[in-house]
Amino acid sequence: MAGIGFELRKILDKRTLLSVFEAYGLAGMISSGPWVLSIFALLAIGFLSIGWVFPSQVIEQFLLLVTYLMAASLIISGLFQLLLTRYISDLIFAEKEDEITPNLLGTMLLTSAIAALVGGGILSIVTEISPLIKIILFTALILLCNLWLIIVFLSGMKEYYRIFFTMAFGYGLMVLLSYFLPSNGLLGLMLIFTVCQALITFTFLFFVIRDYPADRLVSFSFLNPSKAFYSLLFCGLFYNLGVWLDKFVFWFRSEPSHQVIDIFRASYIYDLPIFIAYLAIVPGMAVFMLRMETDFAAACLKFYQAVREGGTLQSIYFLKDKMVLACRQSIYEVFKVQGMTLALLLIWAEEILIFLEIDLAYLHLLYVDLVGVSLQVLVMSILNVMYYLDKRYAALALTIFMAAGNYFLSQLSVDMGPVYYGYGFAVTMLLTTIVGLIALDRQFASLEYQTFMLQRT
């Protein structure tokens, strides 16, 4: 994430009120802009088209299939996102930037193969969807997997506004095409979605290839056991599973769900509140990006630079204390801003549902989901610090804890009845936050020993 940190620090160095707003806006745009754009695009298609361009059944099927595509693509690409990010960081440190693009393309090839196996296997047992729509779903899954991988590289680029506007153009085009083109049912909607995702993906790929030219096409050196950190592969996998497992529980338990199309199910009570609640993390994500990638990242860089260059023990202790203070202040800022956002949304939750013309029966679950997603921002902050400190196994243990907790507690919440829906997710994020903070405290306490004495594993 160094590219983002440099850009944000450059903006903040102007020391004006406008520069502060610009920095927070850029941080929010980079951290959650693509995701927010996709949500608003899907909401726009749903609200503008239902009953006017498309019947409600087609819109429900389209939104459900896109949600499954998003979930599957994030989990599959999560296998390699952190592994590749760490390897690329090492290449930049070693001044071997000509190897970046070949390894990206190698990762995309391997991810596409895995996505093809998973997508092909699932679609082979689907019987109620036409073969043409199956082909479009298969293509969209591979495109989305590659899109999430390419976004890893956006942090190393300087043209953030062009990237944001490219996504805005792509999703805006998707909304316009779905509204103005002649209706062709689910086939037309899925085709429009896939074409627009392809436009965004290949535009981003052009940016990466332009910024990181290479003399060969594909490389798989990121899988070299002597250079790769395979623990990061499982960190990415379990984190994304941990985020989605509560949704899968509610989709495939018969009590809170219903069949929409073939094997694909939706939860009539759970999906909408969690969908709305995730929009609440934008302020916290902006602070997370700004503070972690400026204050903490700079302090962390100075500490390890002093270690590498043979700084005095006193200076290393001093820089460690500054890093701990920067970490504490960064997490506190995230907690404070996200807490204020949560408090306001809890007060306005009923008005929000009324404005969106959503049944107030969803209100209690919305309250619970708002707390859960707010705590998730803290979990992301803790994991980010662990990755900076190279505590990969601690991060892996924490993500496994989160995934297991979200699955079992969500199952328990369904067993306990509708009043407890959502508590599995919220309690999991609370417990993960507490365990993560305790682990961070212990890691900082022995950081000097860990830095000097432990060998690479």
Side-chain angles (χ1 to χ4, degrees), residues 38 49 64 72 115 125 144 192 203 317 332 337 339 353 370 372 381 410 442 449 451:
S38 65
S49 301
L64 179 76
I125 63 175
L144 284 170
I192 290 169
T203 301
Y317 278 135
Y332 173 69
V337 171
L353 292 182
L370 284 169
S381 302
S410 294
R442 292 179 178 178
Y449 171 80
T451 302

PDB file of all heavy atoms in Angstrom, residues 38 49 64 72 115 125 144 192 203 317 332 337 339 353 370 372 381 410 442 449 451:
ATOM      1  N   SER A  38     -20.139  -0.336  -6.957  1.00  0.00           N
ATOM      2  CA  SER A  38     -20.819  -1.554  -7.414  1.00  0.00           C
ATOM      3  C   SER A  38     -22.162  -1.720  -6.706  1.00  0.00           C
ATOM      4  O   SER A  38     -23.148  -2.115  -7.323  1.00  0.00           O
ATOM      5  CB  SER A  38     -19.928  -2.778  -7.186  1.00  0.00           C
ATOM      6  OG  SER A  38     -19.706  -2.991  -5.802  1.00  0.00           O
ATOM      7  N   SER A  49     -35.402  -0.329 -12.484  1.00  0.00           N
ATOM      8  CA  SER A  49     -35.891  -1.254 -13.508  1.00  0.00           C
ATOM      9  C   SER A  49     -37.057  -2.120 -13.067  1.00  0.00           C
ATOM     10  O   SER A  49     -37.846  -2.560 -13.889  1.00  0.00           O
ATOM     11  CB  SER A  49     -34.742  -2.177 -13.965  1.00  0.00           C
ATOM     12  OG  SER A  49     -33.672  -1.411 -14.484  1.00  0.00           O
ATOM     13  N   LEU A  64     -29.225 -11.737  -7.211  1.00  0.00           N
ATOM     14  CA  LEU A  64     -28.741 -12.907  -6.485  1.00  0.00           C
ATOM     15  C   LEU A  64     -27.525 -13.520  -7.173  1.00  0.00           C
ATOM     16  O   LEU A  64     -26.515 -13.828  -6.528  1.00  0.00           O
ATOM     17  CB  LEU A  64     -29.856 -13.948  -6.372  1.00  0.00           C
ATOM     18  CG  LEU A  64     -29.438 -15.232  -5.643  1.00  0.00           C
ATOM     19  CD1 LEU A  64     -29.359 -14.994  -4.147  1.00  0.00           C
ATOM     20  CD2 LEU A  64     -30.403 -16.368  -5.953  1.00  0.00           C
ATOM     21  N   ALA A  72     -17.986 -15.686  -4.651  1.00  0.00           N
ATOM     22  CA  ALA A  72     -17.074 -16.714  -5.160  1.00  0.00           C
ATOM     23  C   ALA A  72     -15.766 -16.111  -5.662  1.00  0.00           C
ATOM     24  O   ALA A  72     -14.679 -16.640  -5.393  1.00  0.00           O
ATOM     25  CB  ALA A  72     -17.759 -17.500  -6.279  1.00  0.00           C
ATOM     26  N   ALA A 115     -10.805 -20.708 -10.906  1.00  0.00           N
ATOM     27  CA  ALA A 115     -12.176 -20.216 -11.077  1.00  0.00           C
ATOM     28  C   ALA A 115     -12.925 -21.048 -12.113  1.00  0.00           C
ATOM     29  O   ALA A 115     -14.126 -21.316 -11.953  1.00  0.00           O
ATOM     30  CB  ALA A 115     -12.150 -18.746 -11.493  1.00  0.00           C
ATOM     31  N   ILE A 125     -23.984 -28.740 -12.455  1.00  0.00           N
ATOM     32  CA  ILE A 125     -25.122 -29.370 -11.762  1.00  0.00           C
ATOM     33  C   ILE A 125     -26.366 -28.484 -11.804  1.00  0.00           C
ATOM     34  O   ILE A 125     -27.395 -28.841 -11.232  1.00  0.00           O
ATOM     35  CB  ILE A 125     -24.753 -29.705 -10.304  1.00  0.00           C
ATOM     36  CG1 ILE A 125     -24.440 -28.429  -9.513  1.00  0.00           C
ATOM     37  CG2 ILE A 125     -23.571 -30.659 -10.249  1.00  0.00           C
ATOM     38  CD1 ILE A 125     -24.190 -28.692  -8.036  1.00  0.00           C
ATOM     39  N   LEU A 144     -14.183 -11.313 -12.750  1.00  0.00           N
ATOM     40  CA  LEU A 144     -14.174 -10.725 -11.416  1.00  0.00           C
ATOM     41  C   LEU A 144     -12.973 -11.187 -10.600  1.00  0.00           C
ATOM     42  O   LEU A 144     -12.358 -10.390  -9.872  1.00  0.00           O
ATOM     43  CB  LEU A 144     -15.467 -11.075 -10.679  1.00  0.00           C
ATOM     44  CG  LEU A 144     -16.713 -10.299 -11.117  1.00  0.00           C
ATOM     45  CD1 LEU A 144     -17.965 -10.902 -10.497  1.00  0.00           C
ATOM     46  CD2 LEU A 144     -16.598  -8.829 -10.718  1.00  0.00           C
ATOM     47  N   ILE A 192     -24.956  -7.538 -19.972  1.00  0.00           N
ATOM     48  CA  ILE A 192     -24.543  -6.148 -19.719  1.00  0.00           C
ATOM     49  C   ILE A 192     -23.551  -6.100 -18.553  1.00  0.00           C
ATOM     50  O   ILE A 192     -22.512  -5.429 -18.618  1.00  0.00           O
ATOM     51  CB  ILE A 192     -25.773  -5.268 -19.434  1.00  0.00           C
ATOM     52  CG1 ILE A 192     -26.586  -5.079 -20.706  1.00  0.00           C
ATOM     53  CG2 ILE A 192     -25.353  -3.912 -18.865  1.00  0.00           C
ATOM     54  CD1 ILE A 192     -27.947  -4.440 -20.476  1.00  0.00           C
ATOM     55  N   THR A 203      -9.288  -2.288 -18.786  1.00  0.00           N
ATOM     56  CA  THR A 203      -8.768  -0.917 -18.642  1.00  0.00           C
ATOM     57  C   THR A 203      -7.743  -0.860 -17.516  1.00  0.00           C
ATOM     58  O   THR A 203      -6.666  -0.267 -17.664  1.00  0.00           O
ATOM     59  CB  THR A 203      -9.911   0.069 -18.364  1.00  0.00           C
ATOM     60  OG1 THR A 203     -10.858   0.016 -19.429  1.00  0.00           O
ATOM     61  CG2 THR A 203      -9.375   1.488 -18.241  1.00  0.00           C
ATOM     62  N   TYR A 317      14.654   1.389  20.265  1.00  0.00           N
ATOM     63  CA  TYR A 317      13.600   1.446  21.277  1.00  0.00           C
ATOM     64  C   TYR A 317      12.707   2.672  21.076  1.00  0.00           C
ATOM     65  O   TYR A 317      11.473   2.597  21.202  1.00  0.00           O
ATOM     66  CB  TYR A 317      14.211   1.487  22.674  1.00  0.00           C
ATOM     67  CG  TYR A 317      14.606   0.135  23.217  1.00  0.00           C
ATOM     68  CD1 TYR A 317      15.837  -0.047  23.839  1.00  0.00           C
ATOM     69  CD2 TYR A 317      13.742  -0.953  23.136  1.00  0.00           C
ATOM     70  CE1 TYR A 317      16.209  -1.281  24.348  1.00  0.00           C
ATOM     71  CE2 TYR A 317      14.108  -2.187  23.639  1.00  0.00           C
ATOM     72  CZ  TYR A 317      15.337  -2.349  24.245  1.00  0.00           C
ATOM     73  OH  TYR A 317      15.689  -3.571  24.739  1.00  0.00           O
ATOM     74  N   TYR A 332      -7.409   3.936  17.366  1.00  0.00           N
ATOM     75  CA  TYR A 332      -8.339   4.784  18.107  1.00  0.00           C
ATOM     76  C   TYR A 332      -9.126   5.695  17.172  1.00  0.00           C
ATOM     77  O   TYR A 332     -10.334   5.892  17.353  1.00  0.00           O
ATOM     78  CB  TYR A 332      -7.582   5.614  19.144  1.00  0.00           C
ATOM     79  CG  TYR A 332      -8.462   6.643  19.842  1.00  0.00           C
ATOM     80  CD1 TYR A 332      -9.459   6.244  20.731  1.00  0.00           C
ATOM     81  CD2 TYR A 332      -8.309   8.003  19.587  1.00  0.00           C
ATOM     82  CE1 TYR A 332     -10.265   7.179  21.360  1.00  0.00           C
ATOM     83  CE2 TYR A 332      -9.117   8.940  20.196  1.00  0.00           C
ATOM     84  CZ  TYR A 332     -10.095   8.525  21.083  1.00  0.00           C
ATOM     85  OH  TYR A 332     -10.901   9.452  21.689  1.00  0.00           O
ATOM     86  N   VAL A 337     -14.173   7.376  14.768  1.00  0.00           N
ATOM     87  CA  VAL A 337     -14.965   7.800  13.608  1.00  0.00           C
ATOM     88  C   VAL A 337     -16.037   6.770  13.283  1.00  0.00           C
ATOM     89  O   VAL A 337     -17.199   7.124  13.039  1.00  0.00           O
ATOM     90  CB  VAL A 337     -14.044   8.052  12.389  1.00  0.00           C
ATOM     91  CG1 VAL A 337     -14.879   8.281  11.137  1.00  0.00           C
ATOM     92  CG2 VAL A 337     -13.137   9.241  12.657  1.00  0.00           C
ATOM     93  N   GLY A 339     -17.299   4.640  15.355  1.00  0.00           N
ATOM     94  CA  GLY A 339     -18.252   4.661  16.453  1.00  0.00           C
ATOM     95  C   GLY A 339     -19.258   5.786  16.319  1.00  0.00           C
ATOM     96  O   GLY A 339     -20.460   5.595  16.566  1.00  0.00           O
ATOM     97  N   LEU A 353     -34.864   3.315   6.626  1.00  0.00           N
ATOM     98  CA  LEU A 353     -35.740   2.272   6.084  1.00  0.00           C
ATOM     99  C   LEU A 353     -37.027   2.870   5.517  1.00  0.00           C
ATOM    100  O   LEU A 353     -37.520   2.422   4.468  1.00  0.00           O
ATOM    101  CB  LEU A 353     -36.065   1.246   7.173  1.00  0.00           C
ATOM    102  CG  LEU A 353     -34.904   0.377   7.665  1.00  0.00           C
ATOM    103  CD1 LEU A 353     -35.393  -0.632   8.699  1.00  0.00           C
ATOM    104  CD2 LEU A 353     -34.231  -0.350   6.502  1.00  0.00           C
ATOM    105  N   LEU A 370     -25.296  -3.323  11.669  1.00  0.00           N
ATOM    106  CA  LEU A 370     -24.493  -2.104  11.721  1.00  0.00           C
ATOM    107  C   LEU A 370     -23.362  -2.230  12.737  1.00  0.00           C
ATOM    108  O   LEU A 370     -22.230  -1.801  12.481  1.00  0.00           O
ATOM    109  CB  LEU A 370     -25.382  -0.909  12.071  1.00  0.00           C
ATOM    110  CG  LEU A 370     -26.272  -0.361  10.954  1.00  0.00           C
ATOM    111  CD1 LEU A 370     -27.288   0.628  11.520  1.00  0.00           C
ATOM    112  CD2 LEU A 370     -25.435   0.307   9.863  1.00  0.00           C
ATOM    113  N   GLY A 372     -22.013  -5.097  13.693  1.00  0.00           N
ATOM    114  CA  GLY A 372     -21.097  -6.103  13.169  1.00  0.00           C
ATOM    115  C   GLY A 372     -20.143  -5.565  12.129  1.00  0.00           C
ATOM    116  O   GLY A 372     -18.925  -5.799  12.184  1.00  0.00           O
ATOM    117  N   SER A 381      -8.216  -3.346  10.548  1.00  0.00           N
ATOM    118  CA  SER A 381      -7.107  -2.524  11.027  1.00  0.00           C
ATOM    119  C   SER A 381      -6.082  -3.378  11.761  1.00  0.00           C
ATOM    120  O   SER A 381      -4.863  -3.225  11.565  1.00  0.00           O
ATOM    121  CB  SER A 381      -7.628  -1.422  11.956  1.00  0.00           C
ATOM    122  OG  SER A 381      -8.573  -0.604  11.310  1.00  0.00           O
ATOM    123  N   SER A 410     -23.227 -18.258  13.588  1.00  0.00           N
ATOM    124  CA  SER A 410     -24.353 -17.986  12.694  1.00  0.00           C
ATOM    125  C   SER A 410     -25.305 -19.175  12.660  1.00  0.00           C
ATOM    126  O   SER A 410     -26.534 -18.998  12.643  1.00  0.00           O
ATOM    127  CB  SER A 410     -23.846 -17.668  11.281  1.00  0.00           C
ATOM    128  OG  SER A 410     -23.115 -16.452  11.271  1.00  0.00           O
ATOM    129  N   ARG A 442       0.810  -8.306  22.737  1.00  0.00           N
ATOM    130  CA  ARG A 442       1.897  -9.247  23.003  1.00  0.00           C
ATOM    131  C   ARG A 442       2.983  -9.169  21.930  1.00  0.00           C
ATOM    132  O   ARG A 442       4.176  -9.296  22.228  1.00  0.00           O
ATOM    133  CB  ARG A 442       1.342 -10.660  23.086  1.00  0.00           C
ATOM    134  CG  ARG A 442       0.438 -10.886  24.313  1.00  0.00           C
ATOM    135  CD  ARG A 442      -0.108 -12.300  24.348  1.00  0.00           C
ATOM    136  NE  ARG A 442      -0.919 -12.517  25.546  1.00  0.00           N
ATOM    137  CZ  ARG A 442      -1.554 -13.665  25.814  1.00  0.00           C
ATOM    138  NH1 ARG A 442      -1.473 -14.682  24.962  1.00  0.00           N
ATOM    139  NH2 ARG A 442      -2.266 -13.783  26.924  1.00  0.00           N
ATOM    140  N   TYR A 449      12.927  -8.727  20.087  1.00  0.00           N
ATOM    141  CA  TYR A 449      13.409 -10.105  20.029  1.00  0.00           C
ATOM    142  C   TYR A 449      12.972 -10.781  18.729  1.00  0.00           C
ATOM    143  O   TYR A 449      13.769 -11.444  18.063  1.00  0.00           O
ATOM    144  CB  TYR A 449      12.889 -10.888  21.225  1.00  0.00           C
ATOM    145  CG  TYR A 449      13.160 -12.376  21.131  1.00  0.00           C
ATOM    146  CD1 TYR A 449      14.409 -12.893  21.453  1.00  0.00           C
ATOM    147  CD2 TYR A 449      12.164 -13.249  20.710  1.00  0.00           C
ATOM    148  CE1 TYR A 449      14.662 -14.251  21.349  1.00  0.00           C
ATOM    149  CE2 TYR A 449      12.406 -14.610  20.609  1.00  0.00           C
ATOM    150  CZ  TYR A 449      13.659 -15.111  20.937  1.00  0.00           C
ATOM    151  OH  TYR A 449      13.904 -16.446  20.826  1.00  0.00           O
ATOM    152  N   THR A 451      12.229  -9.424  15.927  1.00  0.00           N
ATOM    153  CA  THR A 451      12.875  -8.830  14.755  1.00  0.00           C
ATOM    154  C   THR A 451      14.298  -9.326  14.576  1.00  0.00           C
ATOM    155  O   THR A 451      14.731  -9.656  13.469  1.00  0.00           O
ATOM    156  CB  THR A 451      12.873  -7.288  14.878  1.00  0.00           C
ATOM    157  OG1 THR A 451      11.531  -6.830  15.009  1.00  0.00           O
ATOM    158  CG2 THR A 451      13.500  -6.641  13.659  1.00  0.00           C
TER     159      THR A 451
END
